[in-house]
Amino acid sequence: MTLSTKQDRDHIVISGMSVEAPGGIESPASFWSALAESRELISPFPRDRGWPIDDLLSVSRHDGWGKVSDAGGFLDGAAAFDPAFFGITQREAIAADPQQRVGMRVAWQALENSGINPGALDGADAGCFIGASPMEYGPRAAEVNPYSGHRAVGLASLSVAGRISHSLGLTGPSMCVDSACASSLSALHLAATAVRGGECEWALAGAVCVMGSPLAFYEFAKNNALSTDGHCRSYADDATGTLWGEGAGVVLVEHESRARRLGHRIYGRILATCTNHNGKGRPILVPRAHAQERLVRKAIDIAGIDPADVGMVEGHGTATRAGDPAELTALQNTYGAAGSSPLLGSVKSNAGHAQAAAGLLGLIKLLLAGQHGYIPPSLFSENPTTKVDWDRSSLRLATKLQPWEPNNGVRYGAVSSFGAGGSNAHAIIAMPVREESDDF
């Protein structure tokens, strides 16, 4: 099924993007190079954050605890920030969670990528929706310390979006979204809904994850769901668990007519965004195949496309015993049963699990694949998990860089996320072969 004609409705599109990822990635171009070259962006734990590294690496001495490897996906520039540039004091900047600082920087870059002058937006009717989760940064707020007075606003889950809106002068809706690892695509959903509903003229949608403490490593070591070998082997049979990482990404969302009028590049048309919840029953951390399948089917229905047209699926791919089989079952029952051969992968295999930012890194990977016309490989895909029957559907792992042929001038892709609190999110994107294509 092809897209409806342009005059049917004014679609919501993505017309700007920026990304920071582990391995020194600070631009979409460098991100694409790493993906296309099958580079793993994992490094040892940072030694400049005051983390108890020795204790962390020896937690397996406790009964019932798993191994923690000296590995993760960490941002090189997590601490880099120019407070004067963004109009705040040095002390306030130090007190602000680094997720706020990185978020402000990446939002600025997304605007520049779209061709907008970030310094000329004061009073703009624009929204800001940012996914972020608390990361235990800095001293306790309930004590006297040199940063008292700045801690209330400095808490990440309160003010990442607020910082961005304040620094740019945006006057539309502004909110942080915390649905754990589904936060990114939930933020995208809210942004697209706000623009479509006229709450704002355009919006920034994004997510950020910078670990202020090694909390996530301790938690998943206790749950025996952390990688024991320092790799995130998404969908692989030798996967032992997930590997935590960091990242940030922001996209600009607006009506297609506005993007074309202002000469913005259209990276993709948002055909559908959906979120849902697992509901009660099994433990809250356990993913549910039926809930994810229900969500994907709803998104396909909203998008109004033949699921067989979807050529690339950027999955969640946590590399956990429960997560990958549940997700694969849902994708096999939907895209894999549609009669085509969609290729599946996860950016987590390159950079680790960026938690709240995971979905945005996956979305930007999808947009870059559509732009370049190639589907990048998913690492460790040569040994697919045996927890599902791959022969029962046409879904396959992306094992190498290969051309992505368009369908009537458009490439269709999908991206999935699910969170520890039971939330699921899914998006379907259509990407033009070239910006000026009359077929889009």
Side-chain angles (χ1 to χ4, degrees):
M1 181 183 296
T2 59
L3 287 170
S4 57
T5 58
K6 285 183 288 187
Q7 53 265 43
D8 284 344
R9 56 188 174 121
D10 194 0
H11 286 275
I12 306 300
V13 299
I14 295 170
S15 56
M17 63 178 169
S18 61
V19 64
E20 291 191 12
I25 303 301
E26 296 183 346
S27 70
S30 60
F31 191 41
W32 174 250
S33 294
L35 295 170
E37 295 167 8
S38 300
R39 297 207 321 258
E40 190 177 24
L41 307 173
I42 303 304
S43 65
F45 287 127
R47 263 57 179 180
D48 59 353
R49 299 190 186 184
W51 290 6
I53 302 295
D54 291 340
D55 181 71
L56 182 59
L57 296 179
S58 61
V59 296
S60 59
R61 71 186 185 277
H62 300 293
D63 289 342
W65 287 67
K67 177 185 175 183
V68 176
S69 298
D70 189 5
F74 301 102
L75 293 181
D76 289 357
F81 187 68
D82 182 355
F85 182 84
F86 289 98
I88 62 177
T89 66
Q90 180 71 22
R91 177 168 290 187
E92 186 177 3
I94 293 174
D97 191 296
Q99 296 182 117
Q100 295 186 15
R101 298 180 240 142
V102 172
M104 293 166 72
R105 183 170 67 225
V106 176
W108 188 280
Q109 294 164 355
L111 290 164
E112 290 184 326
N113 179 265
S114 72
I116 294 174
N117 178 5
L121 293 175
D122 192 15
D125 180 22
C128 185
F129 301 83
I130 304 294
S133 298
M135 285 289 157
E136 287 195 331
Y137 171 74
R140 294 177 62 243
E143 67 180 18
V144 176
N145 63 66
Y147 305 105
S148 296
H150 297 299
R151 296 289 287 138
V153 178
L155 298 173
S157 57
L158 173 68
S159 300
V160 181
R163 286 282 190 191
I164 293 170
S165 294
H166 181 263
S167 67
L168 296 171
L170 309 183
T171 61
S174 181
M175 64 188 72
C176 282
V177 181
D178 186 3
S179 53
C181 306
S183 298
S184 288
L185 298 185
S186 297
L188 179 69
H189 174 69
L190 291 173
T193 300
V195 174
R196 188 179 297 112
E199 294 181 60
C200 51
E201 189 175 8
W202 55 273
L204 295 173
V208 59
C209 174
V210 181
M211 289 180 279
S213 84
L215 163 67
F217 289 93
Y218 279 101
E219 282 291 295
F220 266 52
K222 182 63 176 73
N223 290 329
N224 287 280
L226 191 66
S227 170
T228 59
D229 65 358
H231 302 286
C232 191
R233 301 178 182 272
S234 304
Y235 311 118
D237 204 39
D238 49 355
T240 57
T242 202
L243 185 71
W244 297 121
E246 300 175 332
V250 173
V251 297
L252 189 142
V253 174
E254 61 185 336
H255 282 285
E256 184 171 346
S257 60
R258 184 178 190 273
R260 293 190 179 279
R261 184 176 73 252
L262 298 176
H264 297 167
R265 175 170 192 154
I266 296 175
Y267 290 103
R269 177 184 284 172
I270 302 174
L271 299 187
T273 57
C274 287
T275 65
N276 75 355
H277 194 272
N278 292 331
K280 67 177 183 178
R282 304 181 70 187
I284 193 169
L285 281 173
V286 178
R288 318 282 175 81
H290 71 276
Q292 293 181 37
E293 180 178 343
R294 186 169 66 249
L295 181 70
V296 172
R297 291 191 185 282
K298 181 179 289 187
I300 291 171
D301 184 59
I302 292 172
I305 63 167
D306 185 339
D309 289 341
V310 173
M312 175 179 170
V313 179
E314 173 62 13
H316 200 52
T318 58
T320 55
R321 288 186 293 270
D324 282 8
E327 182 184 11
L328 287 170
T329 298
L331 295 176
Q332 285 181 327
N333 290 345
T334 51
Y335 298 114
S340 61
S341 299
L343 292 178
L344 168 70
S346 174
V347 71
K348 293 176 183 63
S349 67
N350 302 90
H353 187 346
Q355 301 165 76
L360 237 294
L361 294 186
L363 173 66
I364 292 174
K365 172 186 172 182
L366 178 69
L367 294 171
L368 290 171
Q371 177 186 344
H372 290 276
Y374 282 86
I375 297 175
S378 194
L379 305 189
F380 314 112
S381 58
E382 66 279 355
N383 187 25
T385 179
T386 55
K387 298 293 193 302
V388 298
D389 180 6
W390 290 92
D391 291 333
R392 77 178 186 85
S393 86
S394 59
L395 184 72
R396 292 293 180 267
L397 293 180
T399 59
K400 61 183 179 180
L401 183 70
Q402 61 188 78
W404 185 4
E405 297 301 324
N407 182 357
N408 293 323
V410 181
R411 297 182 177 96
Y412 298 87
V415 56
S416 275
S417 287
F418 52 86
S423 294
N424 306 295
H426 192 75
I428 298 176
I429 310 294
M431 293 149 283
V433 173
R434 56 186 184 278
E435 182 181 351
E436 66 275 15
S437 173
D438 290 333
D439 295 326
F440 188 70

